[in-house]
């Protein structure tokens, strides 16, 4: 199996700017931020995408709660959560991640 960049971050084998860590998920800064605050929230266990995680509502709910807490702590105002699922939608890392973006005004629809 190909090495997974986010498994490596969770394992502490690759450096990242980690802002939150608990028994279920880890959150860190995106290396190519698209907003003044751009964090990624990932499950500690490898799940390729939202489809693989669909049978785990407790985990998904926990990750959403962590996202809201981080948004309150680090953004304050409005924010956006994005889960790209599949190459057609722009997913490039196949370890589930929530993008948490904020700190600027955003357009709609997204590109
Ligand atoms: P996506 O295109 O939705 O799969 O998002 C993948 C995101 O992961 C992109 O925004 C990348 O900038 C980010 N990314 C890739 N590798 C790393 C890394 N080692 N540390 C932090 N962010 C990363
Ligand atoms: Zn992984």
């Amino acid at each position: 199996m190909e090495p997974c960049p986010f498994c490596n971050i969770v394992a502490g084998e690759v450096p990242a700017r980690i802002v939150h860590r608990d028994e279920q998920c880890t959150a860190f800064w995106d290396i190519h931020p698209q907003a003044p605050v751009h964090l990624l929230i990932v499950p500690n266990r490898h799940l390729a995408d939202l489809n693989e995680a669909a049978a785990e509502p407790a985990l998904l709910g926990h990750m959403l709660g962590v996202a809201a807490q981080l948004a309150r702590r680090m953004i304050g105002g409005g924010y956006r959560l994005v889960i790209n699922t599949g190459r057609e939608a722009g997913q490039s890392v196949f370890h589930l991640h929530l993008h948490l973006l904020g700190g600027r005004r955003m357009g709609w629809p997204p590109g």
Side-chain angles (χ1 to χ4, degrees):
M1 210 170 109
E2 268 184 40
C4 169
F6 293 171
C7 279
N8 289 339
I9 287 173
V10 169
E13 288 160 2
V14 163
R17 293 170 64 197
I18 291 174
V19 294
H20 171 91
R21 189 175 176 78
D22 62 40
E23 67 288 345
Q24 295 184 76
C25 70
T26 301
F28 50 90
W29 282 82
D30 195 293
I31 34 166
H32 295 122
Q34 302 301 317
V37 177
H38 185 175
L39 306 175
L40 301 175
I41 299 137
V42 310
N44 293 340
R45 188 159 45 87
H46 183 90
L47 293 164
D49 59 20
L50 185 60
N51 296 328
E52 263 194 25
E56 309 212 27
L59 171 65
L60 293 172
H62 175 76
M63 290 170 63
L64 284 174
V66 166
Q69 281 171 15
L70 287 169
R72 196 178 319 132
R73 187 173 110 206
M74 299 183 67
I75 298 169
Y79 59 90
R80 185 172 289 174
L81 288 173
V82 174
I83 305 177
N84 295 323
T85 307
R87 285 191 198 285
E88 304 85 345
Q91 186 175 6
S92 62
V93 176
F94 287 82
H95 179 134
L96 173 65
H97 49 283
L98 269 63
H99 294 260
L100 169 59
L101 300 132
R104 67 166 167 81
R105 187 159 282 280
M106 289 178 203
W108 192 264

